[in-house]
Amino acid sequence: MGTIIGFVILAAIDWYLVRKTGLHIHQWVSRKYEEYLQGKENNK
């Protein structure tokens, strides 16, 4: 039962991100990670 609830929560988060940013969860996470790495390089 917990797995089903987890999938529903992930689907809701994904739906929200697609509406707000146009990106799915994995795309949004990879974009944020790239920004983090670029920021880290610029600080050196």
Side-chain angles (χ1 to χ4, degrees), residues 2-42:
T3 304
I4 295 170
I5 293 170
F7 281 135
V8 169
I9 291 170
L10 282 176
I13 292 170
D14 188 53
W15 174 79
Y16 177 78
L17 281 175
V18 169
R19 285 192 58 207
K20 292 291 182 184
T21 65
L23 301 172
H24 289 280
I25 291 175
H26 62 279
Q27 295 166 324
W28 184 81
V29 169
S30 65
R31 178 174 287 178
K32 290 295 180 186
Y33 184 66
E34 286 177 22
E35 291 173 3
Y36 167 75
L37 290 179
Q38 288 175 356
K40 208 171 175 186
E41 290 176 3
N42 291 340

